Amino acid sequence: MRKRWFSLMAAVLLVVGVLVPASPAVAAPTFKVPFPCGQSWSGQTRSGHSPAYAIDFNRTDDAGDPVVASAPGTVDRVTDLGGTSYGKYVRISHAGGYHTYYAHLSGFNVSVGQSVGYGKVIGWVGSTGGSTGPHLHYEQRLNGSDIQVRFNGALALYWGTKSYSSDNGCSSGAGSGTVDTSGTPLTVRSGPGTGYSSVGTVADGTRVTIQCQTSGTSVTGTYGTSSIWDRIGSGRFISDAYVYTGYDGYIPNVPRC
């Protein structure tokens, strides 16, 4: 009787296993470069890194630059390990068992349990822990295991150094303005200053989308003298002194480049 009972139970479990499908895998979040919209950073990967698939990000004079969440999630770790390992770091939990790590920070701008979205500043680039110079150590993990990093679904470069441009938070933080030069086309520069090379022009009266703003060469134009430069595309900057934005200075809620 007992043998028949076990045989019956095994048959039932087999049927249940066939009729009830396994839970579908949760798609990976769309991770973005962990810096404000419009910024470009050099990311280095190397096989001797720990963990192997982490990326170290750098750019000139980057100490104190803001670090932002690379995807929506919940902050589940804000830790200071002192002069060892990651030093000051933040971990964010994302859907599907994914986590991102942001290490060697100089300070924190979030707390455990806080929900964050694209573009949310979580801390600032530093050189804490085992770092030998300012940079951001960034990781993506799945169920605790280090995985190769992807941005917007595209695999990062392994192994070597590559320049990454951020579109993190661009849609929610962009501004706009109208070029006013009294008729003369406005020169577009490759960087925020008159010393950068010309990469084209923008016609008088053109409505432009301002992805981010930064300081550069002081220019006297239609709207007075200003050192603010507006990024209107990848490697494309125009002087804010010739752009009507409705503000005398930086546009509120538009990120700094």
Side-chain angles (χ1 to χ4, degrees):
M1 181 68 179
R2 178 173 296 180
K3 183 176 180 180
R4 182 180 177 186
W5 170 254
F6 282 131
S7 297
L8 179 61
M9 287 298 294
V12 170
L13 291 174
L14 179 60
V15 171
V16 170
V18 171
L19 295 180
V20 181
S23 298
V26 177
T30 300
F31 294 112
K32 295 182 178 293
V33 176
F35 299 103
C37 173
Q39 292 187 358
S40 293
W41 286 74
S42 176
Q44 181 194 65
T45 57
R46 55 189 187 278
S47 58
H49 208 173
S50 179
Y53 297 140
I55 298 182
D56 279 346
F57 282 104
N58 275 113
R59 72 174 186 171
T60 304
D61 298 325
D62 56 8
D65 282 356
V67 175
V68 306
S70 61
T74 302
V75 177
D76 67 355
R77 189 171 296 176
V78 177
T79 304
D80 184 355
L81 297 177
T84 62
S85 187
Y86 291 171
K88 293 181 179 179
Y89 78 99
V90 169
R91 187 177 79 174
I92 299 177
S93 174
H94 309 279
Y98 290 87
H99 287 85
T100 49
Y101 286 68
Y102 312 77
H104 305 312
L105 302 175
S106 63
F108 306 121
N109 193 49
V110 289
S111 56
V112 172
Q114 182 175 343
S115 295
V116 294
Y118 290 122
K120 169 61 181 177
V121 176
I122 62 171
W124 296 273
V125 172
S127 186
T128 58
S131 172
T132 57
H135 71 282
L136 175 69
H137 172 101
Y138 173 82
E139 300 174 24
Q140 292 175 4
R141 296 195 181 199
L142 175 59
N143 298 325
S145 297
D146 176 38
I147 59 174
Q148 292 187 327
V149 169
R150 291 178 181 272
F151 294 123
N152 293 322
L155 183 66
L157 173 66
Y158 291 94
W159 310 94
T161 301
K162 177 182 177 180
S163 178
Y164 296 88
S165 294
S166 176
D167 65 348
N168 195 330
C170 292
S171 60
S172 61
S176 62
T178 302
V179 174
D180 185 354
T181 59
S182 300
T184 304
L186 179 62
T187 300
V188 180
R189 301 286 180 177
S190 62
T194 54
Y196 288 87
S197 60
S198 171
V199 292
T201 60
V202 176
D204 181 31
T206 300
R207 187 75 173 170
V208 294
T209 298
I210 300 171
Q211 298 174 347
C212 60
Q213 296 180 296
T214 188
S215 62
T217 304
S218 183
V219 173
T220 299
T222 306
Y223 299 102
T225 300
S226 176
S227 61
I228 298 174
W229 284 74
D230 304 329
R231 184 181 184 274
I232 60 171
S234 178
R236 294 174 59 83
F237 291 81
I238 56 176
S239 170
D240 193 66
Y242 288 100
V243 182
Y244 178 76
T245 63
Y247 298 93
D248 291 333
Y250 287 102
I251 304 173
N253 299 320
V254 170
R256 301 289 183 91
C257 302

